[in-house]
Amino acid sequence: MDNTESIWRLVDAKRGGFEALSDRVWGMPELAYTETRSCAEHTAMLREQGFRVTEKVAGIPTAVMGEAGEGGPVIAILGEYDALPGLSQEAGVAEPRPLPGPGFGHGCGHNLLGSASLLAATAVKEWLAENKLPGRVRYYGCPAEEGGAAKGFMVRDGAFKDVDVAISWHPAAFAAVQEAVSLANTRIDFSFVGRASHAAAAPHLGRSALDAVELMNVGVNYMREHMPSDARIHYAYLDAGGVAPNVVQPTAKVRYLIRARDLVELRRLIERVRKVADGAALMTETKVSSKVVSGVSNLLGNAPLERAMQNNLDRLGPPPFDDLDRARAAEFQATLTEEDIAASWRRIGLPMRKGVALCDVVVPLEVRGAPMMGSTDVGDVSWVVPTVQARGSTYAIGTPGHSWQLTAQGKLPAAHKGMVHVAKVMAGTAVDCLRDPALIEAAKADLAARTAANPYEPVLSPDVQPPLDMSVTAA
Ligand SMILES: [Zn+2]
């Protein structure tokens, strides 16, 4: 039995407790920065497995880190456990059926994300002890991936400064190495202040902050034609100035989410949006101020680590789904459109095969899909530590991200099999690094080459604090 097989055996030996952990976190969905119970579950599991625990990493109440082993290289495995608003759903039911309560749900599968990463870290801990090798493994329980950019704040606080390699994953339809395509982004709140007055009796005395927001949005919407085609801008009103149409709105606030291919392009776009905001204030004789809420960097790939991870995937093969898993997945596929399913195949870069409900292949490394236009706070980690991520196959092909169908599939046997499978992929990659210092050196050289021309300049300036109250406004 070689070392890789022994690490997979260690994952299997521990799986039961971590499937149960995932199910418990699924049952207590909590929004960004309020994951108190979920984080407590992960902290308790770290202690139970014998990790040395650091709570409140970077001063964030729901961030936790556990370390095991001595000396040697440091391998970080990153997990998440935040849920989403509006995606409550009964488990295993293939029709929309929200549960009573605040309406939160694990519509991005982060219950699995955290548990599989902690399972992988635990198996690596056991492997280090069995083999009496120097080396440390850490599990980072990272909150608020959904819009809170917690990892960016953790990077800024130095939480990863002595880490040699970072490994993570995300639930997906297909088993693959994650392509390093994601957008840098930032959330900025623009607040306008004008002057209230009677909208009929003294309109000339009022200066409308609501007008200013509307003009800002018009300006930005005209700008769209003249920005890079892979950039994205979205906005939401946080304060429309009140409910009385006969009062000129003295305040108004809009949250902008600006995304671009990389940090350089993002900075350019932020400058232009700020000019539009200033223009709107000038036109309406209001005052504008702004506050950066969060920001993440684009992801950097790492070729040596991607090859190592693919090698683990190729030797493992696809997750061991059975006919019952496929039948359950087909029930969920029946709620999707043909377009949903085609998009899932296109995203991964494989020709569509009709009637295939669950992943039955390992996607080759050279297959390139349609880029994913989202963002992730793993991006910031990838600029300071060589980072690699897997896609773990945990749900029916075609399931849209952030959907009730995704929440519903989060506790099925297929989800458990997918999370154990990806834990093996991550643990195997970690063991490859621990056994081969040359792999870590190659990964570091790859990162140095990617950042040589554009060193890391985080979107988050030193004065921006983690938006711990963001879920209060979101919910
Ligand atoms: Zn997610």
Side-chain angles (χ1 to χ4, degrees), residues 80 82 84 107-110 113 145-146 169-171 375-376 401-402 406:
E80 298 162 11
D82 55 329
L84 287 156
C108 205
H110 294 184
L113 206 173
E145 193 280 328
E146 300 291 356
W169 77 289
H170 200 282
S375 309
T376 165
H402 297 189
L406 212 156

Side-chain angles (χ1 to χ4, degrees), residues 52 74 170 205 297 317 370 444 449:
R52 303 181 289 271
V74 178
H170 200 282
L205 299 180
S297 305
K444 287 184 175 174

Side-chain angles (χ1 to χ4, degrees), residues 38-399:
S38 307
C39 180
E41 287 281 352
H42 279 242
T43 306
M45 184 58 108
L46 281 168
R47 292 221 164 88
E48 191 184 318
Q49 299 298 333
F51 285 85
R52 303 181 289 271
V53 173
T54 305
E55 292 183 83
K56 300 186 173 56
V57 178
I60 301 170
T62 52
V64 66
M65 191 274 280
E67 185 188 73
E70 299 296 338
V74 178
I75 310 296
I77 304 185
L78 316 181
E80 298 162 11
Y81 29 66
D82 55 329
L84 287 156
L87 290 173
S88 166
Q89 166 68 23
E90 194 172 317
V93 176
E95 62 176 34
R97 204 183 291 167
L99 296 169
F104 308 155
H106 271 288
C108 205
H110 294 184
N111 56 309
L112 296 160
L113 206 173
S115 303
S117 294
L118 184 42
L119 169 56
T122 303
V124 174
K125 170 185 177 288
E126 303 288 306
W127 183 90
L128 280 167
E130 266 186 16
N131 289 275
K132 299 188 175 51
L133 284 174
R136 282 168 286 164
V137 61
R138 289 184 189 160
Y139 169 73
Y140 285 83
C142 307
E145 193 280 328
E146 300 291 356
K151 294 186 197 73
F153 294 103
M154 292 163 78
V155 167
R156 194 179 71 184
D157 204 60
F160 300 96
K161 66 177 186 300
D162 58 346
V163 171
D164 291 282
V165 163
I167 300 172
S168 192
W169 77 289
H170 200 282
F174 291 94
V177 175
Q178 178 99 50
E179 270 183 81
V181 183
S182 83
L183 301 176
N185 83 25
T186 188
R187 286 169 166 75
I188 305 178
D189 290 349
F190 290 90
S191 302
F192 290 85
V193 177
R195 202 159 66 226
S197 74
H198 194 294
H204 58 293
L205 299 180
R207 295 291 179 269
S208 170
L210 179 60
D211 287 359
V213 170
E214 297 202 289
L215 286 165
M216 175 181 177
N217 295 343
V218 168
V220 168
N221 287 332
Y222 269 93
M223 195 180 83
R224 286 180 200 281
E225 190 185 345
H226 310 287
M227 54 186 221
S229 57
D230 51 5
R232 299 280 187 276
I233 302 186
H234 340 282
Y235 53 80
Y237 282 80
L238 300 187
D239 169 19
V243 294
N246 57 349
V247 177
V248 172
Q249 290 81 1
T251 60
K253 191 178 198 177
V254 63
R255 174 165 296 173
Y256 264 76
L257 172 45
I258 307 166
R259 308 187 201 241
R261 151 182 358 117
D262 56 32
L263 292 171
V264 176
E265 204 56 69
L266 182 66
R267 272 194 200 90
R268 279 191 199 126
L269 212 48
I270 292 171
E271 254 346 278
R272 294 176 69 190
V273 170
R274 287 190 187 285
K275 281 184 192 166
V276 174
D278 290 343
L282 186 66
M283 282 190 280
T284 51
E285 296 181 46
T286 58
K287 289 214 161 25
V288 63
S289 61
S290 65
K291 182 171 179 277
V292 175
V293 179
S294 66
V296 305
S297 305
N298 55 304
L299 263 179
L300 294 183
N302 194 286
L305 293 179
E306 285 158 15
R307 282 194 295 272
M309 181 173 267
Q310 182 75 32
N311 188 273
N312 278 277
L313 266 166
D314 288 342
R315 280 179 299 132
L316 267 170
F321 299 127
D322 60 23
D323 285 342
L324 190 58
D325 298 325
R326 284 184 278 273
R328 299 300 311 274
E331 289 172 28
F332 285 93
Q333 264 196 342
T335 71
L336 306 173
T337 65
E338 188 85 349
E339 208 180 341
D340 288 328
I341 296 167
S344 193
W345 289 94
R346 199 165 47 244
R347 203 172 308 125
I348 203 72
L350 293 175
M352 178 166 164
R353 285 184 286 128
K354 284 200 173 169
V356 178
L358 278 172
C359 173
D360 59 356
V361 291
V362 164
V363 182
L365 197 55
E366 59 279 7
V367 169
R368 290 280 173 238
M372 196 268 299
M373 284 305 183
S375 309
T376 165
D377 62 0
V378 179
D380 289 274
V381 180
S382 76
W383 278 79
V384 296
V385 180
T387 301
V388 66
Q389 296 184 89
R391 289 169 186 267
S393 168
T394 60
Y395 52 73
I397 296 168
T399 307

